[in-house]
Amino acid sequence: MATGGFSKLPNGTVVVALDLPSPAVRVLVHAGNRARALTRLRNLGLRAVYLRGNAAPPTPDEITAVLHHPDGLVWRTAPAETAAPGPEPVQELWHPIRALLRPSTAPM
């Protein structure tokens, strides 16, 4: 089951953040309401996506990232659960959802 959460914006729209287990990614969706955000993901082929609770809402940086993307759907590799000692890891940039759902073409 995916963990995640949502934040309601002052204009009435919401940003939903979901941590998907397979592939291990964090997906952000900007939509009119929570149901519409989940419907957008289901329409892209992520059928078993549900949001129960608000355990991991989007951070202000994540909200800014999804609001500035034209599609309102972005993803990046989910952060590791345990932080390794040493220097701060370089954070991955956000990708458009098309890059996640693009079928890989194998050379013939």
Side-chain angles (χ1 to χ4, degrees):
M1 179 189 308
T3 61
F6 69 96
S7 289
K8 190 163 185 161
L9 303 179
N11 65 358
T13 61
V14 296
V15 173
V16 173
L18 292 168
D19 294 322
L20 302 177
S22 178
V25 296
R26 182 150 171 101
V27 178
L28 299 175
V29 183
H30 179 233
N33 57 44
R34 286 180 292 172
R36 175 75 59 180
L38 296 176
T39 299
R40 289 185 73 187
L41 288 173
R42 289 183 189 125
N43 287 344
L44 292 171
L46 301 171
R47 298 285 181 214
V49 175
Y50 297 96
L51 180 63
R52 290 189 176 43
N54 200 14
T59 65
D61 289 338
E62 291 175 333
I63 293 171
T64 301
V66 75
L67 289 178
H68 284 88
H69 194 273
D71 294 339
L73 272 162
V74 294
W75 69 276
R76 73 176 170 197
T77 306
E81 294 294 327
T82 58
E88 187 73 21
V90 177
Q91 205 161 30
E92 181 183 2
L93 297 176
W94 291 97
H95 307 283
I97 197 71
R98 284 170 280 158
L100 178 65
L101 302 174
R102 182 178 310 143
S104 60
T105 57
M108 293 184 173

